[in-house]
Amino acid sequence: MRTVGGVIRRRNDEAKGALIGYLPVGFPTLDESVEAAVALVEQGVDVLELGLPYSDPVMDGPVIQAATQQALANGFRLSDGFEAVRRITERVDAPVLIMTYWNPVVQYGVDRFADDLVAAGGAGLITPDLIPDEAAEWIAASERTGLDRVFLAAPSSSDARIRQAVDASRGFVYAVSTMGITGARSDVDEAARSLVARLADAGAPASCVGLGISTAKQVSEVLDYADGAIVGSALVNALATGGIRAAGELAAELARGARSE
């Protein structure tokens, strides 16, 4: 099992920081989503975030919603997520986190989900709609299995919520740069800088900024103050419009932002 924290620390020692790339499992097909994820790593993505398609994706913007709806229409099953993780980790040496809303995990069984993710070679979960004070079952399961757990913090989070996210997270805290849904934006919100500073003051293991990052320049700007930059919609759009090759080419360009001074 590959853990996230070590990779993020290493990339901050070797370069500006870590590049985290998101793709949904099963889009355009299961096989293509695996090949695209492998291509991202081969082109410089340090950590993979694989989204499980869900029928009520309240945090996702239109690009990701369209992709996940296609995956669901194609017959995506939760077991496909574990298969994708297994196939990816057999081929590339990068940590793979599952991004999932909490209801599918509960329906599957929290301990069963954790055990199957470990067996597939996964590193942990990002849980956007689960807050730490309602996460006792997942915290216990991740402690038992050694999985990383990534909670979210937003610019509007109170100091108490910031501390909860920091105390509960293992690997990194997901710093949401803007309020709202995912989607590439022309500028990354300045609020991210103050949020990362607040997380650092609270003792965060690492802070990675997501929502709205779409260019190498933005990756470089984010890594001036954060430990990692998370890119989702831009990569999904590249995959949707140009296929695996285009997604890999964008990953290579974004990776240059993680190396530039």
Side-chain angles (χ1 to χ4, degrees):
M1 185 173 63
R2 300 157 179 82
T3 59
V4 173
V7 170
I8 292 175
R9 287 190 296 272
R10 176 172 59 81
R11 293 302 294 155
N12 275 269
D13 290 340
E14 297 174 346
K16 291 195 73 173
L19 175 62
I20 301 170
Y22 166 93
L23 290 175
V25 178
F27 174 78
T29 65
L30 179 61
D31 288 345
E32 287 172 299
S33 67
V34 169
E35 293 302 321
V38 170
L40 296 195
V41 176
E42 290 177 342
Q43 295 301 321
V45 166
D46 301 302
V47 178
L48 284 169
E49 176 187 342
L50 295 185
L52 297 186
Y54 182 54
S55 58
D56 187 24
V58 294
M59 273 193 63
D60 296 330
V63 171
I64 293 175
Q65 282 196 29
T68 57
Q69 289 303 311
Q70 181 174 325
L72 290 169
N74 290 343
F76 170 82
R77 301 168 300 172
L78 198 58
S79 59
D80 293 335
F82 301 117
E83 179 184 346
V85 172
R86 177 183 58 77
R87 290 168 61 182
I88 292 164
T89 56
E90 286 175 349
R91 294 174 57 186
V92 295
D93 186 23
V96 179
L97 292 164
I98 289 289
M99 195 290 283
T100 179
Y101 295 95
W102 188 237
N103 187 58
V105 180
V106 173
Q107 295 299 315
Y108 192 83
V110 177
D111 282 312
R112 179 186 173 206
F113 194 105
D115 290 338
D116 287 355
L117 183 56
V118 169
L125 293 183
I126 300 172
T127 49
D129 62 340
L130 181 68
I131 58 176
D133 49 359
E134 296 178 0
E137 191 173 5
W138 164 229
I139 290 172
S142 57
E143 286 296 317
R144 177 178 61 81
T145 56
L147 289 166
D148 286 329
R149 50 182 184 263
V150 177
F151 290 96
L152 275 63
S156 62
S157 297
S158 67
D159 290 343
R161 285 292 185 193
I162 291 283
R163 286 192 297 272
Q164 283 183 323
V166 167
D167 292 344
S169 293
R170 181 163 59 197
F172 66 91
V173 179
Y174 193 128
V176 181
S177 66
T178 59
M179 299 301 295
I181 58 175
T182 60
R185 294 175 176 83
S186 59
D187 295 299
V188 176
D189 200 337
E190 270 297 311
R193 288 181 178 269
S194 60
L195 175 57
V196 168
R198 292 172 67 200
L199 288 166
D201 288 344
S207 297
C208 299
V209 172
L211 301 192
I213 302 169
S214 59
T215 68
K217 181 175 184 290
Q218 289 177 338
V219 169
S220 181
E221 289 171 351
V222 164
L223 294 180
D224 284 339
Y225 60 88
D227 301 295
I230 303 169
V231 181
S233 293
L235 288 167
V236 178
N237 185 62
L239 178 60
T241 58
I244 294 168
R245 179 186 294 273
E249 289 173 350
L250 177 58
E253 173 63 21
L254 294 167
R256 283 191 278 275
R259 294 193 298 269
S260 64
E261 294 301 327

mmCIF file of all heavy atoms in Angstrom, residues 153-159 162 173-180 185 187-201 207-213 221-222 225-226:
data_model
loop_
_atom_site.group_PDB
_atom_site.id
_atom_site.type_symbol
_atom_site.label_atom_id
_atom_site.label_comp_id
_atom_site.label_asym_id
_atom_site.label_seq_id
_atom_site.Cartn_x
_atom_site.Cartn_y
_atom_site.Cartn_z
ATOM 1 N N ALA A 153 -11.367 21.400 4.259
ATOM 2 C CA ALA A 153 -11.501 22.673 4.975
ATOM 3 C C ALA A 153 -11.745 23.754 3.930
ATOM 4 O O ALA A 153 -11.164 23.714 2.839
ATOM 5 C CB ALA A 153 -10.246 22.991 5.777
ATOM 6 N N ALA A 154 -12.602 24.706 4.269
ATOM 7 C CA ALA A 154 -12.964 25.780 3.345
ATOM 8 C C ALA A 154 -12.627 27.132 3.959
ATOM 9 O O ALA A 154 -12.427 27.239 5.174
ATOM 10 C CB ALA A 154 -14.456 25.711 3.021
ATOM 11 N N PRO A 155 -12.559 28.189 3.144
ATOM 12 C CA PRO A 155 -12.294 29.520 3.701
ATOM 13 C C PRO A 155 -13.291 29.929 4.772
ATOM 14 O O PRO A 155 -12.944 30.713 5.672
ATOM 15 C CB PRO A 155 -12.386 30.428 2.470
ATOM 16 C CG PRO A 155 -12.016 29.553 1.330
ATOM 17 C CD PRO A 155 -12.582 28.201 1.672
ATOM 18 N N SER A 156 -14.495 29.408 4.695
ATOM 19 C CA SER A 156 -15.520 29.759 5.687
ATOM 20 C C SER A 156 -15.449 28.925 6.953
ATOM 21 O O SER A 156 -16.189 29.183 7.905
ATOM 22 C CB SER A 156 -16.914 29.592 5.061
ATOM 23 O OG SER A 156 -17.126 28.236 4.693
ATOM 24 N N SER A 157 -14.559 27.925 6.999
ATOM 25 C CA SER A 157 -14.482 27.053 8.168
ATOM 26 C C SER A 157 -14.070 27.830 9.409
ATOM 27 O O SER A 157 -13.147 28.649 9.368
ATOM 28 C CB SER A 157 -13.480 25.921 7.927
ATOM 29 O OG SER A 157 -13.880 25.091 6.860
ATOM 30 N N SER A 158 -14.738 27.552 10.514
ATOM 31 C CA SER A 158 -14.355 28.167 11.785
ATOM 32 C C SER A 158 -13.019 27.592 12.243
ATOM 33 O O SER A 158 -12.559 26.554 11.755
ATOM 34 C CB SER A 158 -15.425 27.892 12.840
ATOM 35 O OG SER A 158 -15.465 26.500 13.144
ATOM 36 N N ASP A 159 -12.412 28.264 13.209
ATOM 37 C CA ASP A 159 -11.162 27.743 13.758
ATOM 38 C C ASP A 159 -11.361 26.357 14.357
ATOM 39 O O ASP A 159 -10.482 25.489 14.244
ATOM 40 C CB ASP A 159 -10.614 28.699 14.820
ATOM 41 C CG ASP A 159 -10.094 30.002 14.223
ATOM 42 O OD1 ASP A 159 -9.852 30.038 13.000
ATOM 43 O OD2 ASP A 159 -9.942 30.973 14.983
ATOM 44 N N ILE A 162 -11.450 23.912 11.513
ATOM 45 C CA ILE A 162 -10.087 23.744 10.996
ATOM 46 C C ILE A 162 -9.321 22.751 11.861
ATOM 47 O O ILE A 162 -8.675 21.824 11.350
ATOM 48 C CB ILE A 162 -9.343 25.096 10.958
ATOM 49 C CG1 ILE A 162 -9.935 26.017 9.887
ATOM 50 C CG2 ILE A 162 -7.851 24.890 10.762
ATOM 51 C CD1 ILE A 162 -9.545 25.694 8.483
ATOM 52 N N VAL A 173 -4.710 17.669 4.355
ATOM 53 C CA VAL A 173 -6.035 18.286 4.426
ATOM 54 C C VAL A 173 -6.322 18.899 3.066
ATOM 55 O O VAL A 173 -5.460 19.565 2.477
ATOM 56 C CB VAL A 173 -6.100 19.365 5.521
ATOM 57 C CG1 VAL A 173 -7.490 20.014 5.547
ATOM 58 C CG2 VAL A 173 -5.771 18.769 6.885
ATOM 59 N N TYR A 174 -7.521 18.678 2.556
ATOM 60 C CA TYR A 174 -7.946 19.211 1.270
ATOM 61 C C TYR A 174 -8.454 20.629 1.497
ATOM 62 O O TYR A 174 -9.496 20.840 2.089
ATOM 63 C CB TYR A 174 -9.044 18.319 0.711
ATOM 64 C CG TYR A 174 -9.403 18.516 -0.745
ATOM 65 C CD1 TYR A 174 -9.432 17.447 -1.615
ATOM 66 C CD2 TYR A 174 -9.740 19.772 -1.254
ATOM 67 C CE1 TYR A 174 -9.782 17.596 -2.954
ATOM 68 C CE2 TYR A 174 -10.076 19.949 -2.582
ATOM 69 C CZ TYR A 174 -10.099 18.846 -3.433
ATOM 70 O OH TYR A 174 -10.444 19.014 -4.746
ATOM 71 N N ALA A 175 -7.687 21.596 1.018
ATOM 72 C CA ALA A 175 -8.049 23.007 1.169
ATOM 73 C C ALA A 175 -8.879 23.437 -0.035
ATOM 74 O O ALA A 175 -8.364 23.526 -1.149
ATOM 75 C CB ALA A 175 -6.797 23.868 1.298
ATOM 76 N N VAL A 176 -10.150 23.675 0.188
ATOM 77 C CA VAL A 176 -11.056 24.073 -0.889
ATOM 78 C C VAL A 176 -10.835 25.555 -1.163
ATOM 79 O O VAL A 176 -11.123 26.398 -0.310
ATOM 80 C CB VAL A 176 -12.515 23.786 -0.504
ATOM 81 C CG1 VAL A 176 -13.451 24.178 -1.630
ATOM 82 C CG2 VAL A 176 -12.702 22.310 -0.151
ATOM 83 N N SER A 177 -10.354 25.885 -2.352
ATOM 84 C CA SER A 177 -9.904 27.254 -2.598
ATOM 85 C C SER A 177 -11.043 28.240 -2.770
ATOM 86 O O SER A 177 -10.868 29.438 -2.582
ATOM 87 C CB SER A 177 -8.997 27.299 -3.832
ATOM 88 O OG SER A 177 -9.724 26.970 -4.999
ATOM 89 N N THR A 178 -12.208 27.771 -3.184
ATOM 90 C CA THR A 178 -13.359 28.649 -3.345
ATOM 91 C C THR A 178 -14.589 27.974 -2.780
ATOM 92 O O THR A 178 -14.633 26.756 -2.629
ATOM 93 C CB THR A 178 -13.629 28.970 -4.831
ATOM 94 O OG1 THR A 178 -13.868 27.741 -5.521
ATOM 95 C CG2 THR A 178 -12.469 29.699 -5.470
ATOM 96 N N MET A 179 -15.580 28.758 -2.474
ATOM 97 C CA MET A 179 -16.858 28.210 -2.036
ATOM 98 C C MET A 179 -17.661 27.825 -3.271
ATOM 99 O O MET A 179 -17.767 28.601 -4.217
ATOM 100 C CB MET A 179 -17.632 29.223 -1.195
ATOM 101 C CG MET A 179 -16.916 29.633 0.074
ATOM 102 S SD MET A 179 -16.576 28.222 1.145
ATOM 103 C CE MET A 179 -18.262 27.725 1.555
ATOM 104 N N GLY A 180 -18.222 26.645 -3.280
ATOM 105 C CA GLY A 180 -19.041 26.250 -4.420
ATOM 106 C C GLY A 180 -18.640 24.898 -4.952
ATOM 107 O O GLY A 180 -18.150 24.042 -4.219
ATOM 108 N N ARG A 185 -11.186 27.466 -13.230
ATOM 109 C CA ARG A 185 -11.414 28.910 -13.182
ATOM 110 C C ARG A 185 -10.166 29.626 -13.672
ATOM 111 O O ARG A 185 -9.059 29.096 -13.609
ATOM 112 C CB ARG A 185 -11.744 29.359 -11.759
ATOM 113 C CG ARG A 185 -13.069 28.806 -11.244
ATOM 114 C CD ARG A 185 -13.278 29.199 -9.791
ATOM 115 N NE ARG A 185 -14.579 28.773 -9.305
ATOM 116 C CZ ARG A 185 -14.855 27.550 -8.852
ATOM 117 N NH1 ARG A 185 -13.928 26.633 -8.848
ATOM 118 N NH2 ARG A 185 -16.064 27.245 -8.412
ATOM 119 N N ASP A 187 -8.707 32.198 -12.345
ATOM 120 C CA ASP A 187 -7.848 32.583 -11.219
ATOM 121 C C ASP A 187 -8.168 31.700 -10.017
ATOM 122 O O ASP A 187 -9.321 31.382 -9.763
ATOM 123 C CB ASP A 187 -8.075 34.044 -10.827
ATOM 124 C CG ASP A 187 -7.646 34.986 -11.924
ATOM 125 O OD1 ASP A 187 -6.455 34.970 -12.263
ATOM 126 O OD2 ASP A 187 -8.509 35.715 -12.437
ATOM 127 N N VAL A 188 -7.130 31.312 -9.310
ATOM 128 C CA VAL A 188 -7.334 30.556 -8.074
ATOM 129 C C VAL A 188 -7.543 31.557 -6.944
ATOM 130 O O VAL A 188 -6.798 32.514 -6.787
ATOM 131 C CB VAL A 188 -6.126 29.649 -7.786
ATOM 132 C CG1 VAL A 188 -6.296 28.946 -6.446
ATOM 133 C CG2 VAL A 188 -5.958 28.628 -8.893
ATOM 134 N N ASP A 189 -8.556 31.332 -6.154
ATOM 135 C CA ASP A 189 -8.994 32.294 -5.146
ATOM 136 C C ASP A 189 -7.890 32.614 -4.142
ATOM 137 O O ASP A 189 -7.230 31.719 -3.610
ATOM 138 C CB ASP A 189 -10.200 31.702 -4.414
ATOM 139 C CG ASP A 189 -11.028 32.748 -3.711
ATOM 140 O OD1 ASP A 189 -10.492 33.827 -3.413
ATOM 141 O OD2 ASP A 189 -12.202 32.468 -3.444
ATOM 142 N N GLU A 190 -7.711 33.899 -3.867
ATOM 143 C CA GLU A 190 -6.728 34.326 -2.867
ATOM 144 C C GLU A 190 -7.065 33.780 -1.485
ATOM 145 O O GLU A 190 -6.188 33.658 -0.631
ATOM 146 C CB GLU A 190 -6.679 35.860 -2.817
ATOM 147 C CG GLU A 190 -5.681 36.495 -3.749
ATOM 148 C CD GLU A 190 -4.256 36.100 -3.425
ATOM 149 O OE1 GLU A 190 -3.851 36.182 -2.248
ATOM 150 O OE2 GLU A 190 -3.558 35.692 -4.354
ATOM 151 N N ALA A 191 -8.327 33.445 -1.270
ATOM 152 C CA ALA A 191 -8.713 32.894 0.027
ATOM 153 C C ALA A 191 -7.948 31.621 0.340
ATOM 154 O O ALA A 191 -7.784 31.256 1.517
ATOM 155 C CB ALA A 191 -10.221 32.626 0.064
ATOM 156 N N ALA A 192 -7.473 30.930 -0.684
ATOM 157 C CA ALA A 192 -6.718 29.702 -0.450
ATOM 158 C C ALA A 192 -5.451 29.961 0.354
ATOM 159 O O ALA A 192 -5.063 29.150 1.199
ATOM 160 C CB ALA A 192 -6.376 29.041 -1.780
ATOM 161 N N ARG A 193 -4.801 31.088 0.095
ATOM 162 C CA ARG A 193 -3.560 31.382 0.817
ATOM 163 C C ARG A 193 -3.805 31.491 2.326
ATOM 164 O O ARG A 193 -3.059 30.925 3.130
ATOM 165 C CB ARG A 193 -2.943 32.684 0.311
ATOM 166 C CG ARG A 193 -2.327 32.582 -1.059
ATOM 167 C CD ARG A 193 -1.709 33.914 -1.476
ATOM 168 N NE ARG A 193 -1.072 33.820 -2.767
ATOM 169 C CZ ARG A 193 0.203 33.507 -2.972
ATOM 170 N NH1 ARG A 193 0.985 33.243 -1.927
ATOM 171 N NH2 ARG A 193 0.707 33.449 -4.185
ATOM 172 N N SER A 194 -4.834 32.239 2.696
ATOM 173 C CA SER A 194 -5.104 32.396 4.124
ATOM 174 C C SER A 194 -5.588 31.097 4.732
ATOM 175 O O SER A 194 -5.276 30.788 5.892
ATOM 176 C CB SER A 194 -6.125 33.512 4.349
ATOM 177 O OG SER A 194 -7.344 33.224 3.702
ATOM 178 N N LEU A 195 -6.332 30.292 3.963
ATOM 179 C CA LEU A 195 -6.788 28.998 4.475
ATOM 180 C C LEU A 195 -5.613 28.076 4.744
ATOM 181 O O LEU A 195 -5.541 27.430 5.801
ATOM 182 C CB LEU A 195 -7.752 28.358 3.476
ATOM 183 C CG LEU A 195 -8.236 26.940 3.804
ATOM 184 C CD1 LEU A 195 -8.916 26.887 5.165
ATOM 185 C CD2 LEU A 195 -9.172 26.432 2.702
ATOM 186 N N VAL A 196 -4.664 28.009 3.817
ATOM 187 C CA VAL A 196 -3.487 27.163 4.023
ATOM 188 C C VAL A 196 -2.688 27.642 5.229
ATOM 189 O O VAL A 196 -2.173 26.831 6.021
ATOM 190 C CB VAL A 196 -2.617 27.137 2.751
ATOM 191 C CG1 VAL A 196 -1.242 26.514 3.027
ATOM 192 C CG2 VAL A 196 -3.327 26.365 1.645
ATOM 193 N N ALA A 197 -2.578 28.945 5.412
ATOM 194 C CA ALA A 197 -1.878 29.478 6.581
ATOM 195 C C ALA A 197 -2.576 29.063 7.873
ATOM 196 O O ALA A 197 -1.918 28.709 8.865
ATOM 197 C CB ALA A 197 -1.785 30.997 6.481
ATOM 198 N N ARG A 198 -3.897 29.117 7.881
ATOM 199 C CA ARG A 198 -4.654 28.690 9.066
ATOM 200 C C ARG A 198 -4.451 27.200 9.332
ATOM 201 O O ARG A 198 -4.317 26.775 10.494
ATOM 202 C CB ARG A 198 -6.138 28.991 8.884
ATOM 203 C CG ARG A 198 -6.477 30.475 8.858
ATOM 204 C CD ARG A 198 -7.925 30.690 8.487
ATOM 205 N NE ARG A 198 -8.831 30.192 9.534
ATOM 206 C CZ ARG A 198 -10.100 29.897 9.337
ATOM 207 N NH1 ARG A 198 -10.636 30.030 8.119
ATOM 208 N NH2 ARG A 198 -10.838 29.471 10.345
ATOM 209 N N LEU A 199 -4.424 26.399 8.281
ATOM 210 C CA LEU A 199 -4.198 24.962 8.450
ATOM 211 C C LEU A 199 -2.800 24.697 8.999
ATOM 212 O O LEU A 199 -2.619 23.835 9.870
ATOM 213 C CB LEU A 199 -4.398 24.239 7.116
ATOM 214 C CG LEU A 199 -5.844 24.138 6.630
ATOM 215 C CD1 LEU A 199 -5.898 23.721 5.165
ATOM 216 C CD2 LEU A 199 -6.631 23.145 7.489
ATOM 217 N N ALA A 200 -1.816 25.434 8.502
ATOM 218 C CA ALA A 200 -0.449 25.278 9.009
ATOM 219 C C ALA A 200 -0.371 25.658 10.480
ATOM 220 O O ALA A 200 0.276 24.957 11.287
ATOM 221 C CB ALA A 200 0.519 26.118 8.186
ATOM 222 N N ASP A 201 -1.024 26.737 10.862
ATOM 223 C CA ASP A 201 -1.032 27.156 12.268
ATOM 224 C C ASP A 201 -1.667 26.093 13.154
ATOM 225 O O ASP A 201 -1.294 25.951 14.330
ATOM 226 C CB ASP A 201 -1.790 28.471 12.422
ATOM 227 C CG ASP A 201 -1.038 29.657 11.858
ATOM 228 O OD1 ASP A 201 0.186 29.531 11.631
ATOM 229 O OD2 ASP A 201 -1.668 30.710 11.624
ATOM 230 N N SER A 207 -1.093 20.492 3.372
ATOM 231 C CA SER A 207 -2.292 21.107 2.808
ATOM 232 C C SER A 207 -2.181 21.101 1.298
ATOM 233 O O SER A 207 -1.180 21.564 0.742
ATOM 234 C CB SER A 207 -2.455 22.553 3.301
ATOM 235 O OG SER A 207 -2.645 22.599 4.701
ATOM 236 N N CYS A 208 -3.219 20.561 0.650
ATOM 237 C CA CYS A 208 -3.261 20.540 -0.803
ATOM 238 C C CYS A 208 -4.500 21.297 -1.257
ATOM 239 O O CYS A 208 -5.585 21.104 -0.704
ATOM 240 C CB CYS A 208 -3.279 19.110 -1.331
ATOM 241 S SG CYS A 208 -1.806 18.158 -0.868
ATOM 242 N N VAL A 209 -4.321 22.159 -2.249
ATOM 243 C CA VAL A 209 -5.387 23.061 -2.676
ATOM 244 C C VAL A 209 -6.057 22.512 -3.924
ATOM 245 O O VAL A 209 -5.386 22.127 -4.886
ATOM 246 C CB VAL A 209 -4.821 24.470 -2.958
ATOM 247 C CG1 VAL A 209 -5.869 25.369 -3.594
ATOM 248 C CG2 VAL A 209 -4.303 25.090 -1.656
ATOM 249 N N GLY A 210 -7.386 22.505 -3.904
ATOM 250 C CA GLY A 210 -8.147 22.047 -5.048
ATOM 251 C C GLY A 210 -9.326 22.954 -5.338
ATOM 252 O O GLY A 210 -9.639 23.853 -4.558
ATOM 253 N N LEU A 211 -9.975 22.708 -6.426
ATOM 254 C CA LEU A 211 -11.128 23.423 -6.982
ATOM 255 C C LEU A 211 -10.673 24.639 -7.775
ATOM 256 O O LEU A 211 -10.337 25.671 -7.224
ATOM 257 C CB LEU A 211 -12.154 23.850 -5.924
ATOM 258 C CG LEU A 211 -12.791 22.743 -5.086
ATOM 259 C CD1 LEU A 211 -13.975 23.303 -4.302
ATOM 260 C CD2 LEU A 211 -13.230 21.563 -5.914
ATOM 261 N N GLY A 212 -10.620 24.487 -9.081
ATOM 262 C CA GLY A 212 -10.363 25.605 -9.958
ATOM 263 C C GLY A 212 -8.994 25.678 -10.584
ATOM 264 O O GLY A 212 -8.718 26.592 -11.343
ATOM 265 N N ILE A 213 -8.093 24.735 -10.308
ATOM 266 C CA ILE A 213 -6.742 24.777 -10.858
ATOM 267 C C ILE A 213 -6.750 24.085 -12.224
ATOM 268 O O ILE A 213 -7.194 22.939 -12.339
ATOM 269 C CB ILE A 213 -5.740 24.094 -9.915
ATOM 270 C CG1 ILE A 213 -5.759 24.781 -8.540
ATOM 271 C CG2 ILE A 213 -4.340 24.107 -10.501
ATOM 272 C CD1 ILE A 213 -5.005 24.024 -7.477
ATOM 273 N N GLU A 221 1.785 28.652 -8.881
ATOM 274 C CA GLU A 221 1.366 29.664 -7.906
ATOM 275 C C GLU A 221 0.881 29.023 -6.613
ATOM 276 O O GLU A 221 1.217 29.486 -5.514
ATOM 277 C CB GLU A 221 0.263 30.528 -8.514
ATOM 278 C CG GLU A 221 0.747 31.464 -9.615
ATOM 279 C CD GLU A 221 -0.402 32.134 -10.343
ATOM 280 O OE1 GLU A 221 -1.569 31.740 -10.117
ATOM 281 O OE2 GLU A 221 -0.141 33.059 -11.134
ATOM 282 N N VAL A 222 0.090 27.978 -6.732
ATOM 283 C CA VAL A 222 -0.430 27.297 -5.542
ATOM 284 C C VAL A 222 0.710 26.684 -4.733
ATOM 285 O O VAL A 222 0.727 26.752 -3.495
ATOM 286 C CB VAL A 222 -1.461 26.234 -5.948
ATOM 287 C CG1 VAL A 222 -1.733 25.262 -4.799
ATOM 288 C CG2 VAL A 222 -2.771 26.896 -6.375
ATOM 289 N N TYR A 225 2.778 28.286 -1.809
ATOM 290 C CA TYR A 225 2.354 28.338 -0.412
ATOM 291 C C TYR A 225 1.727 27.048 0.105
ATOM 292 O O TYR A 225 1.574 26.878 1.307
ATOM 293 C CB TYR A 225 1.363 29.494 -0.200
ATOM 294 C CG TYR A 225 0.105 29.408 -1.028
ATOM 295 C CD1 TYR A 225 -1.004 28.725 -0.558
ATOM 296 C CD2 TYR A 225 0.024 30.015 -2.281
ATOM 297 C CE1 TYR A 225 -2.166 28.642 -1.334
ATOM 298 C CE2 TYR A 225 -1.121 29.939 -3.047
ATOM 299 C CZ TYR A 225 -2.214 29.251 -2.569
ATOM 300 O OH TYR A 225 -3.352 29.174 -3.332
ATOM 301 N N ALA A 226 1.371 26.121 -0.799
ATOM 302 C CA ALA A 226 0.739 24.866 -0.381
ATOM 303 C C ALA A 226 1.669 23.689 -0.686
ATOM 304 O O ALA A 226 2.637 23.822 -1.438
ATOM 305 C CB ALA A 226 -0.599 24.682 -1.090
#
